[in-house]
Amino acid sequence: MRDVIEGRVWVLGRDVDTDQIISGKWLTVIDPEELKKHVFEIALPEFAANARPGDIVVADENFGSGSSREHAPQALKAIGVGAILADSFARIMYRNAINLGLPAIEARGVRALFEKGDPARVEMRAGKITNVRTGRSIPFPPIPHHLLDLLEAGGLVETVRKRLIAEGKAAPA
Amino acid sequence: MTEGNGHGLTLAEKILARSAGLDHVVPGQIIEGDVDLAMMHEQGAQTVAPFAQMGATKVWDPDRVVIAIDHWVPASTEGAAVLHRILRKFAAEKGLPHFYDVGQHGICHQILAENGWVVPGDLAVGTDSHTNMLGAMGAVAAGIGPTEMAAVLALGKIWLKVPPTIEVRVRGRLGPGVTAKDLVLRILGEVKTTGATYKSVEYTGATIASLSMPERFTICNMTTEMGAKCGMVAPDQKTYDYLEKIAKHPMHPLQADRDARYERAIEVDVDGMPPMVACPYSPDNVRPLPEVAREHVRIDQAFLGSCTNARIEDIREGAALMKGEKVHAGVRFIVSPASTEIYKQCLEEGLIELFTDAGAVFTNSSCSACFGGNMGILAPDETCASSSNRNFPGRMGAKEAKIYLMSPAAVVATAIRGEITDPREMQ
Ligand code: SF4
């Protein structure tokens, strides 16, 4: 995890649920490279073809509500999204993103801070999000250590791997 | 004094403290809990790769892992067939005996419920968001993603933030033709889809105590639509009776302390409450059904199914209205029991024949039309009356299609008349 994440933003409204991120008809697809072609098909149809690695997704309240499908953050990660910023997240979406090592940051008022295409800067430890075009910024509450550690390690897979090695239950690679 | 000492614990706090081997926990605290039961459905196929990448070789306790395939049964696409195959292979390799494959299948939550896999006091997790339903056993039951499930399979543990608890206290008596589904829709109309995000919801009060276990399943099931981490009913004699012959593990029943600290209490009085309906495109867009019925909302499809409302009690209730009637011309009516056990009961009781004679399609048990990826898919300008739990854009197919959520009785009344109908008019 980088301490400062910069990228161009895409903006979404509130209550973008998992069906609008990856619709039910793609649930049998498990290859992230294939999934990324269908991301936001309902919520933001121009996204999949035009997103660039490092782009940042900004949403209003309740991002990722609905199902537990990990397809949603996986597709966003595969397309190269650098961070998801939202006024608030649905809980499984939040966990899934962090477990995949994809920074998910909850910051009240973040949606109103940006317009489509604005450059954003996120300072993870300082807890600050800035719209580089307007110069305006907002704070966000500190991310708990446990989660920062997870992001730092690159996600849950790496974290558990280290733990299993330490406990002698897995062989070092 | 803010949090910490001297105040009692809510039911979720009690259960999470127990799972972490602690005497006391406070909301916001991150704990690592021992998992009592882990459930996977098709999404579990995505658990296999991270499990291997973690370097894990053994599943922590095969007797506490249940696999139930339900979304595409039998496999309706090649992709689904591959998911099933991955799971079968994983179960064989890792020695996971509790696999409910095609033939023993059912909706994963119903499989857990009717086989006694979750018992009072448990911390249960599943790869499906409606795992919340099992909170009706007096347990913390939460949905998680597949990577997280891989960690659970490897360690038998999960990190959780202790949620604050909202108490929903219900009193009054549900009138004839008014069901637990109407009650939970009413609650959703108040709490809204984000009202319980990250939180635990504890359903209390005389009305909840009077509900049967299947009715409690319906209520806890739709806690998911409130954004909650878990929703639960404290265990009582009904819980113990339900589980008496089927519990797979010893129970460790817990109750909230008398002086438990709730973040918020919501009082609901159901006396005189009419049937309710959630209108497009959100489960919290709830209105009294008689009001919507006056607008003569015509439907193209009706669906009596899903983990919310496809138990034998629901199907019997629907059958009582269907008897001697016909499905309205131009309406497709799909009935899908929640498990193979329920399917067999329907067969024995003549309900499959009853619905088929009336012009309905009675399918094998699965998630069926609930999620728009298997069968019963809606075209853009179509409308569906459904006993399921979600009506977001695109949930059952086309994003423009409209879904109205209601009780099984209301679905059947609506299928008969061809427009949204108050089931009390049919009795
Ligand atoms: S019936 Fe519907 S809500 Fe329930 S598990 Fe299946 S798809 Fe999910």
Side-chain angles (χ1 to χ4, degrees):
Chain A
M1 182 197 73
R2 283 169 300 149
D3 191 38
V4 177
I5 301 170
E6 288 179 304
R8 165 184 83 142
V9 311
W10 292 83
V11 293
L12 292 135
R14 53 169 301 153
D15 298 321
V16 175
D17 67 275
T18 47
D19 282 299
Q20 299 182 56
I21 307 177
I22 285 285
S23 108
K25 63 177 175 241
W26 304 116
L27 289 188
T28 55
V29 177
I30 52 178
D31 177 8
E33 289 305 308
E34 183 60 31
L35 274 177
K36 74 179 190 191
K37 297 181 195 157
H38 306 291
V39 69
F40 290 140
E41 222 161 47
I42 293 183
L44 194 61
E46 76 267 36
F47 180 82
N50 297 300
R52 293 198 298 252
D55 282 356
I56 290 177
V57 169
V58 175
D60 206 321
E61 280 183 63
N62 201 24
F63 182 73
S65 62
S67 92
S68 59
R69 65 191 69 158
E70 199 173 67
H71 305 69
Q74 254 174 9
L76 290 171
K77 192 179 167 185
I79 215 161
V81 164
I84 313 172
L85 319 177
D87 277 54
S88 67
F89 285 88
R91 59 166 285 273
I92 303 181
M93 178 72 192
Y94 184 79
R95 288 181 80 93
N96 279 347
I98 300 223
N99 284 334
L100 290 176
L102 175 58
I105 294 153
E106 191 161 280
R108 289 271 155 212
V110 71
R111 169 62 192 84
L113 194 67
F114 291 103
E115 279 169 32
K116 185 182 169 198
D118 281 347
R121 184 190 309 124
V122 184
E123 292 161 72
M124 295 294 285
R125 278 186 186 72
K128 194 164 117 183
I129 297 172
T130 307
N131 181 332
V132 179
R133 177 178 63 86
T134 63
R136 282 182 50 221
S137 48
I138 55 165
F140 60 85
I143 301 172
H145 281 297
H146 184 83
L147 304 192
L148 274 178
D149 290 348
L150 263 176
L151 287 171
E152 197 75 55
L156 192 60
V157 167
E158 272 308 300
T159 308
V160 175
R161 205 174 66 85
K162 287 196 188 109
R163 182 163 164 181
L164 290 175
I165 292 169
E167 291 173 3
K169 292 180 189 153
Chain B
M1 198 78 246
T2 50
E3 290 164 345
N5 300 317
H7 76 82
L9 301 187
T10 68
L11 184 50
E13 289 159 6
K14 278 270 187 68
I15 295 169
L16 291 176
R18 173 189 171 272
S19 78
L22 301 169
D23 295 331
H24 200 92
V25 296
V26 294
Q29 182 178 347
I30 290 180
I31 56 130
E32 186 171 82
D34 286 334
V35 171
D36 296 294
L37 197 279
M39 181 277 290
M40 293 193 281
H41 61 349
E42 280 98 338
Q43 210 185 160
Q46 289 167 282
T47 290
V48 174
F51 185 80
Q53 286 156 10
M54 285 166 183
T57 49
K58 277 191 4 213
V59 169
W60 107 98
D61 185 349
D63 256 328
R64 292 186 177 272
V65 177
V66 171
I67 305 175
I69 58 177
D70 56 8
H71 276 54
W72 301 270
V73 184
S76 53
T77 65
E78 188 180 330
V82 170
L83 300 185
H84 293 172
R85 185 120 185 98
I86 293 171
L87 281 168
R88 283 185 197 114
K89 199 160 154 258
F90 185 70
E93 270 171 25
K94 304 298 171 200
L96 305 175
H98 310 300
F99 192 124
Y100 294 82
D101 206 338
V102 180
Q104 297 81 47
H105 64 280
I107 304 176
C108 55
H109 314 300
Q110 181 61 22
I111 291 289
L112 292 189
E114 71 188 23
N115 293 290
W117 280 110
V118 177
V119 299
D122 271 2
L123 169 58
V125 293
T127 51
D128 189 90
S129 60
H130 287 97
T131 304
N132 289 156
M133 185 180 106
L134 279 304
M137 300 291 193
V140 167
I144 60 174
T147 299
E148 183 128 50
M149 182 55 80
V152 169
L153 294 184
L155 305 168
K157 294 175 190 296
I158 187 168
W159 70 267
L160 288 169
K161 198 156 143 189
V162 177
T165 301
I166 298 178
E167 182 185 16
V168 176
R169 203 178 307 143
V170 187
R171 65 188 157 116
R173 187 187 287 266
L174 293 170
V178 185
T179 68
K181 177 60 159 287
D182 300 298
L183 168 56
V184 74
L185 289 176
R186 157 91 183 272
I187 298 169
L188 247 163
E190 262 171 64
V191 176
K192 297 288 177 193
T193 51
T194 53
T197 302
Y198 303 126
K199 293 172 189 167
S200 169
V201 178
E202 222 175 288
Y203 299 98
T204 67
T207 313
I208 298 295
S210 76
L211 297 179
S212 66
M213 290 307 289
E215 291 171 317
R216 294 178 189 182
F217 292 142
T218 298
I219 306 255
C220 289
N221 180 285
M222 286 198 79
T223 312
T224 309
E225 276 54 61
M226 302 170 201
K229 173 172 280 176
C230 49
M232 64 199 70
V233 175
D236 60 13
Q237 199 52 48
K238 285 187 181 150
T239 326
Y240 309 138
D241 290 347
Y242 182 93
L243 285 166
E244 196 193 334
K245 294 206 178 69
I246 58 172
K248 290 286 196 292
H249 299 119
M251 303 187 205
H252 22 77
L254 295 166
Q255 299 286 335
D257 288 329
R258 273 169 189 280
D259 59 342
R261 230 169 74 156
Y262 296 99
E263 184 191 75
R264 192 177 149 204
I266 296 170
E267 305 262 353
V268 178
D269 188 343
V270 298
D271 274 332
M273 184 183 88
M276 303 299 244
V277 56
C279 301
Y281 289 97
S282 182
D284 64 1
N285 186 13
V286 175
R287 293 171 62 198
L289 191 144
E291 197 182 296
V292 178
R294 280 196 289 277
E295 294 164 12
H296 301 289
V297 181
R298 297 191 52 78
I299 60 148
D300 303 284
Q301 180 168 301
F303 175 50
L304 201 180
S306 91
C307 51
T308 319
N309 275 121
R311 280 170 273 281
I312 188 66
E313 294 78 4
D314 300 315
I315 298 174
R316 280 185 195 137
E317 196 176 289
L321 292 181
M322 194 80 251
K323 200 170 178 184
E325 303 276 355
K326 288 273 180 234
V327 174
H328 196 272
V331 171
R332 290 107 53 189
F333 184 17
I334 302 165
V335 184
S336 307
S339 72
T340 300
E341 275 312 305
I342 299 169
Y343 181 92
K344 286 198 287 194
Q345 266 172 296
C346 291
L347 188 62
E348 254 169 52
E349 296 178 20
L351 305 184
I352 299 182
E353 196 180 349
L354 188 154
F355 278 106
T356 309
D357 282 346
V361 183
F362 199 103
T363 79
N364 71 306
S365 82
S366 81
C367 297
S368 186
C370 177
F371 72 102
N374 184 30
M375 60 167 104
I377 291 166
L378 300 174
D381 55 353
E382 290 192 315
T383 301
C384 180
S386 177
S387 70
S388 60
N389 49 36
R390 285 189 178 137
N391 60 352
F392 300 129
R395 174 63 180 183
M396 289 173 90
K399 70 174 175 185
E400 301 84 358
K402 295 193 174 78
I403 304 163
Y404 290 82
L405 306 175
M406 57 189 80
S407 72
V411 167
V412 175
T414 300
I416 295 168
R417 294 259 176 100
E419 60 177 50
I420 292 181
T421 300
D422 187 336
R424 296 173 303 178
E425 288 175 20
M426 315 285 293
Q427 279 155 345

